[in-house]
């Protein structure tokens, strides 16, 4: 069961990477005009890919380090090394690898992959201003990169630059109308501006795409904030269908009943 779970997660992650960067997975893709690996390097590279696919990142890293040492201009090997280091949380070393790729890449796709990963590294390091610069580089190369727009918006949101975040999230949604997280973050931006109608609109839009309890909780809380306690009760009761959020739902139901002067019923929910 454990290995089936691992393979399921692997397929999901590789499918996402493949859809985002399809050029990385084309067997006939030419990364440099003429580039040849020795048979032993090809074998090590494939072994590294195998380990990486199984999320055995330490073993993958060792294989890719050998490849890069022998063939420093083989950028796909360097990208895989950077990814392995990233997943091992060795962020400084991963950043070094992706910066080398970014400054030496001749193909725009390769350059964009490098800048996107540099942005993700800066996010993990808590450096959103630097992450923004990296994601803007991705968008300079590929203006229709939905993930870069979303990540850019999330950075602006954490920096409380809500107008810039709103613009970025609208771009992300225009490129992927199933992006419920962009819709949810967009609602949070409008909430910060106390624009409740817009906040609730995008919360409902997000809810239609996913039954995520965090979205349900946000809808309930916003109705509570603007004094629509019947609606708040309705959404807190929906939250009860998610057991891990039950205590939040109980508190929300009790509080709104209390505000509505239904003290006896409220006390029952508290108990």
């Amino acid at each position: 069961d454990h290995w089936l779970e691992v393979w399921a997660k692997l397929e999901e992650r590789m499918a996402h990477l493949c859809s985002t960067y399809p050029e990385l997975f084309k067997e006939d893709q030419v990364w440099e005009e003429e580039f040849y690996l020795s048979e032993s390097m090809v074998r090590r590279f494939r072994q590294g890919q195998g380990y990486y696919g199984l999320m055995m990142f330490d073993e993958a890293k060792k294989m890719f380090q050998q490849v890069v040492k022998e063939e420093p201009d083989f950028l796909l090997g360097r990208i895989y090394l950077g990814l392995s280091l990233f997943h091992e949380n060795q962020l400084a070393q991963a950043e070094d690898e992706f910066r080398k790729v970014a400054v030496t890449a001749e193909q725009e796709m390769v350059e964009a992959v490098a800048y996107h990963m540099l942005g993700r590294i800066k996010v993990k390091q808590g450096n959103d201003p630097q992450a923004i610069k990296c994601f803007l580089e991705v968008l300079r190369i590929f203006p229709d990169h939905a993930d870069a727009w979303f990540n850019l918006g999330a950075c602006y949101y954490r920096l409380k630059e809500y107008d810039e975040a709103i613009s970025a999230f609208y771009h992300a949604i225009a490129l992927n109308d199933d992006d419920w997280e962009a819709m949810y973050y967009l609602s949070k931006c409008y909430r910060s501006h106390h624009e409740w109608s817009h906040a609730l609109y995008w919360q409902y839009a997000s809810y239609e795409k996913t039954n995520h309890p965090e979205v349900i909780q946000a809808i309930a809380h916003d109705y509570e904030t603007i004094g629509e306690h019947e609606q708040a009760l309705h959404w807190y009761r929906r939250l009860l269908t998610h057991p891990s959020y039950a205590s939040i739902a109980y508190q929300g139901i009790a509080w709104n009943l209390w505000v509505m002067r239904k003290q006896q019923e409220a006390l029952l929910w508290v108990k």
Side-chain angles (χ1 to χ4, degrees):
D1 288 346
H2 170 72
W3 283 108
L4 288 173
E5 207 172 24
V6 168
W7 274 110
K9 290 180 181 178
L10 165 63
E11 288 180 357
E12 181 181 347
R13 290 172 60 155
M14 294 303 284
H16 175 71
L17 191 60
C18 183
S19 64
T20 306
Y21 305 114
E23 287 80 358
L24 289 179
F25 295 87
K26 289 181 180 177
E27 292 184 1
D28 60 346
Q29 179 71 24
V30 179
W31 285 74
E32 284 77 30
E33 289 185 4
E34 288 188 10
F35 198 93
Y36 299 97
L37 292 177
S38 67
E39 186 178 341
S40 63
M41 285 300 102
V42 170
R43 186 164 55 251
R44 286 176 187 172
F45 177 70
R46 294 303 184 195
Q47 284 178 309
Q49 283 186 311
Y51 284 130
Y52 185 88
L54 290 169
M55 292 179 281
M56 300 169 67
F57 299 118
D58 185 55
E59 291 81 357
K61 174 187 68 179
K62 293 172 183 175
M63 291 292 111
F64 294 129
Q65 282 173 332
Q66 293 178 40
V67 173
V68 169
K69 183 179 179 180
E70 293 293 325
E71 303 288 353
D73 296 328
F74 181 45
L75 296 187
L76 183 55
R78 198 173 290 280
I79 285 175
Y80 267 108
L81 175 57
L83 288 168
S84 301
L85 290 163
F86 177 81
H87 288 296
E88 287 270 285
N89 210 36
Q90 298 178 31
L91 301 182
Q93 298 95 314
E95 181 176 353
D96 287 343
E97 299 303 329
F98 287 118
R99 288 208 179 278
K100 290 173 184 175
V101 173
V103 299
T104 58
E106 296 181 1
Q107 294 189 17
E108 288 185 331
M109 174 57 68
V110 181
E111 186 183 3
V113 170
Y115 276 117
H116 191 78
M117 289 307 303
L118 286 168
R120 291 185 62 189
I121 288 168
K122 291 304 176 186
V123 168
K124 289 192 77 169
Q125 292 174 333
N127 191 341
D128 283 315
Q130 287 299 314
I132 286 170
K133 292 180 181 180
C134 296
F135 293 129
L136 287 173
E137 284 296 316
V138 178
L139 293 168
R140 173 185 61 80
I141 301 167
F142 292 112
D144 292 340
H145 196 296
D147 282 352
W149 280 114
F150 174 83
N151 288 325
L152 182 65
C155 290
Y156 281 130
Y157 175 80
R158 288 190 292 270
L159 292 171
K160 299 183 179 180
E161 297 180 21
Y162 299 120
D163 290 335
E164 290 83 356
I166 286 170
S167 175
F169 289 130
Y170 271 120
H171 274 95
I173 293 166
L175 293 165
N176 178 10
D177 59 10
D178 287 324
D179 190 348
W180 70 268
E181 289 181 290
M183 296 173 189
Y184 178 56
Y185 268 101
L186 188 54
S187 75
K188 294 174 77 171
C189 292
Y190 282 120
R191 189 178 192 279
S192 298
H193 284 325
H194 302 288
E195 296 182 34
W196 301 112
S197 61
H198 286 88
L200 285 164
Y201 173 87
W202 285 108
Q203 284 170 355
Y204 273 97
S206 178
Y207 176 74
E208 287 179 0
K209 302 293 182 181
T210 180
N211 190 33
H212 199 287
E214 191 172 336
V215 178
I216 299 172
Q217 181 187 352
I219 295 172
H221 185 267
D222 283 0
Y223 274 126
E224 180 183 298
T225 301
I226 62 178
E228 295 192 24
H229 300 293
E230 288 287 358
Q231 283 287 354
L233 283 171
H234 170 76
W235 286 95
Y236 277 124
R237 288 188 174 110
R238 285 196 178 191
L239 194 58
L240 285 171
T241 61
H242 299 272
S244 61
Y245 282 71
S247 62
I248 296 172
Y250 292 145
Q251 292 171 23
I253 292 169
W255 171 252
N256 282 277
L257 287 169
W258 187 272
V259 172
M260 294 168 67
R261 298 184 178 181
K262 298 181 179 180
Q263 283 86 354
Q264 292 300 318
E265 192 176 349
L267 288 170
L268 290 172
W269 281 98
V270 170
K271 292 179 181 178

